[in-house]
Amino acid sequence: MTVELISVGTEILLGNIVNTNAAYLSEKCAELGLSLYYETSVGDNEGRLKSILTTALSRSDIIILTGGLGPTADDLTKEVTAKTLGLELVLDTHTKERIGEYFNKIVSHGIPDSNWKQAEVIEGAIIIDNTNGTAPGLIVETQYGKRVILLPGPPNEMIPMFEQDIFPYLNRLRPHVFYSAMVKICGIGESKVEEGIKDLMDRQENPTIAPYAKTGEVHLRVTASADTLEEGMNLVKPVVEELKERFKDNIYTTDEKETLEENVVKLLKQNNLTLATAESCTGGLLTGKIVNVAGASSVLNSGFITYSNESKRQFLDVSEGTLKEYGAVSEKTAGEMAMGAARATNSNVGIAITGLAGPDGGTIDKPVGLVYIGCFLNDKITVKEYHFRGNRQKIREYSVVNALDLLRRSIINNSNF
């Protein structure tokens, strides 16, 4: 089956928001084994939206529209879809009651009249309740075998609705079972990973391997088509085992939902280790990643943002001699920062980042993108030197990923706990 994505909203075309919905849905469609050939963004314009939807209906089996289901006059997705399909809008009392309940919980001065527009649905549509907002999702099964799915634009409404209701619905439509597994790799680049699986991809038929490049990571999805789930699992398993053999410790998880920071927190917990962080150029991004993990409080003792030389001396006990002789961005300083953070907080582990994120401040000897990451564990200091490319934000993001990876490897390779 072929699927087509249409993202509705002038704010997308103007660049006011990043269209993360399309990226999320594209990945989910691939996971479902659906063929995605077209993806379009269109503004809040009736004529252009109708033209794009008409074209999509002529070439795709499933059309998923996101956005344009709000209460304002420029929210036209539902109305244009109904007109294009030759259907009417009708009031759904169930949705109207849900909208009333939603507003009664958050406001005390009545419900805006415009919001009742969201209680109108396309006749005959399957209504998907929105547990995080007021606009319901809709599934319209046309007489021609086409399916049109309307989802709200805000990701915090769209993603839960898709995972809870739309994914299972689409899964039931597939003629075969698709089973997939994810292998997540960090510490080596995309080109190195592709080089390592080129022979597998050249001869692949079923299952297939699809690489996805992330910031500092590469994810490999292994997918098999089969008549039964068990058959699919048996097809995928040897490929995953082969990938494990090839990439070894560069693989941090085969759990699709587990992030690198979650993996690190899990390792700290498993080994009864506590952590302190020390950051300069990343300014708290690393600590923030760790704090995002539920239960991080059991392993994270403290986080230091030591941007100036004075703060490095005062809070982390980095020696004045080190800073004068080697500078703030140096292997020696990164090591002392990591050790100082651990000792200052009585932690087992210290991880530190110091570097030049730019765009200014670089020299021939120390160019922008030079970053040192230090890890202190069991009285042993390990420091890695990195040369990242990109803008200031990208360099900082790469620094965080590689700091997590160094921390992960240090725990795995440590033999004294």
Side-chain angles (χ1 to χ4, degrees):
M1 285 185 295
T2 58
V3 63
E4 186 160 343
L5 305 181
I6 301 175
S7 304
V8 183
T10 302
E11 65 275 13
I12 295 173
L13 298 178
L14 293 176
N16 297 135
I17 64 170
V18 177
N19 188 5
T20 58
N21 285 345
Y24 168 82
L25 290 171
S26 297
E27 189 167 352
K28 288 299 178 182
C29 287
E31 186 178 337
L32 284 160
L34 299 171
S35 299
L36 176 61
Y37 299 138
Y38 301 99
E39 180 184 300
T40 308
S41 295
V42 61
D44 302 302
N45 178 276
E46 181 174 351
R48 288 189 284 272
L49 176 54
K50 183 176 182 180
S51 174
I52 287 171
L53 181 55
T54 301
T55 300
L57 286 164
S58 71
R59 64 191 181 191
S60 301
D61 302 308
I62 301 166
I63 298 91
I64 302 177
L65 298 100
T66 56
L69 299 181
T72 60
D74 62 345
D75 291 308
L76 301 168
T77 301
K78 186 171 51 182
E79 290 77 4
V80 172
T81 301
K83 286 182 181 179
T84 305
L85 297 176
L87 299 171
E88 298 293 328
L89 291 178
V90 296
L91 179 67
D92 179 63
T93 55
H94 170 72
T95 300
K96 185 175 181 180
E97 289 174 2
R98 287 184 60 84
I99 292 173
E101 291 171 0
Y102 179 88
F103 275 99
N104 287 334
K105 291 178 182 178
I106 62 173
V107 298
S108 58
H109 48 74
I111 303 171
D113 289 338
S114 58
N115 279 94
W116 295 122
K117 169 189 172 184
Q118 294 178 301
E120 294 182 345
V121 302
I122 299 173
E123 62 175 325
I126 301 170
I127 300 167
I128 309 299
D129 289 340
N130 187 342
T131 57
N132 297 284
T134 53
L138 300 174
I139 301 174
V140 184
E141 299 176 335
T142 73
Q143 59 181 322
Y144 309 107
K146 308 283 185 174
R147 291 171 169 84
V148 183
I149 300 173
L150 284 66
L151 300 174
N156 64 343
E157 298 179 26
M158 187 279 291
I159 292 175
M161 185 180 293
F162 187 90
E163 293 185 348
Q164 181 176 333
D165 297 288
I166 306 303
F167 189 97
Y169 171 83
L170 294 174
N171 197 31
R172 291 192 294 270
L173 300 179
R174 300 186 301 177
H176 300 286
V177 171
F178 283 83
Y179 177 78
S180 66
M182 182 70 81
V183 176
K184 296 187 178 182
I185 297 169
C186 62
I188 55 176
E190 179 185 8
S191 58
K192 189 73 173 177
V193 172
E194 290 193 358
E195 181 182 311
I197 59 174
K198 186 177 185 302
D199 61 315
L200 297 176
M201 295 190 70
D202 285 345
R203 64 173 187 262
Q204 69 181 0
E205 291 183 5
N206 186 34
T208 59
I209 304 173
Y212 301 90
K214 309 288 184 177
T215 300
E217 300 183 33
V218 180
H219 297 178
L220 302 177
R221 181 180 294 283
V222 184
T223 305
S225 173
D227 292 327
T228 66
L229 181 62
E230 184 179 5
E231 182 185 344
M233 292 173 69
N234 290 335
L235 287 169
V236 165
K237 185 177 179 179
V239 178
V240 171
E241 292 302 318
E242 178 64 24
L243 293 174
K244 287 181 178 179
E245 178 61 29
R246 295 189 183 198
F247 294 107
K248 301 186 186 306
D249 286 349
N250 294 302
I251 297 174
Y252 71 85
T253 189
T254 55
D255 180 347
E256 180 165 2
K257 294 185 177 180
E258 185 175 57
T259 64
L260 180 55
E261 54 268 29
E262 287 172 340
N263 181 263
V264 167
V265 170
K266 181 177 70 176
L267 286 172
L268 289 165
K269 287 181 178 180
Q270 287 174 347
N271 295 285
N272 297 314
L273 297 172
T274 54
L275 174 69
T277 63
E279 302 179 64
S280 184
C281 63
T282 48
L285 285 180
L286 171 61
T287 310
K289 279 280 189 183
I290 295 170
V291 170
N292 280 341
V293 179
S297 59
S298 64
V299 295
L300 179 63
N301 279 343
S302 295
F304 297 91
I305 300 175
T306 54
Y307 210 65
S308 68
N309 285 358
E310 182 181 355
S311 64
K312 290 178 177 67
R313 293 196 304 268
Q314 179 181 354
F315 298 109
L316 304 176
D317 200 28
V318 176
S319 73
E320 188 173 354
T322 293
L323 292 168
K324 283 185 177 180
E325 183 175 355
Y326 301 100
V329 180
S330 65
E331 178 181 349
K332 195 81 164 61
T333 297
E336 290 188 20
M337 287 173 65
M339 181 174 65
R343 289 182 172 174
T345 59
N346 196 29
S347 301
N348 306 114
V349 190
I351 188 77
I353 303 173
T354 181
L356 293 163
D360 304 316
T363 65
I364 294 175
D365 294 331
K366 294 185 178 183
V368 168
L370 173 64
V371 176
Y372 291 95
I373 302 174
C375 184
F376 175 81
L377 173 59
N378 279 350
D379 293 323
K380 178 184 177 182
I381 297 174
T382 303
V383 180
K384 298 289 186 181
E385 178 181 318
Y386 300 87
H387 293 266
F388 301 125
R389 294 187 178 183
N391 59 25
R392 181 177 179 85
Q393 184 61 24
K394 188 61 67 176
I395 290 170
R396 296 170 74 225
E397 289 174 356
Y398 275 118
S399 299
V400 169
V401 172
N402 282 275
L404 289 167
D405 186 46
L406 177 58
L407 179 54
R408 178 184 72 89
R409 292 173 188 269
S410 297
I411 297 170
I412 291 172
N413 295 330
N414 182 64
S415 59
N416 296 320
F417 51 72

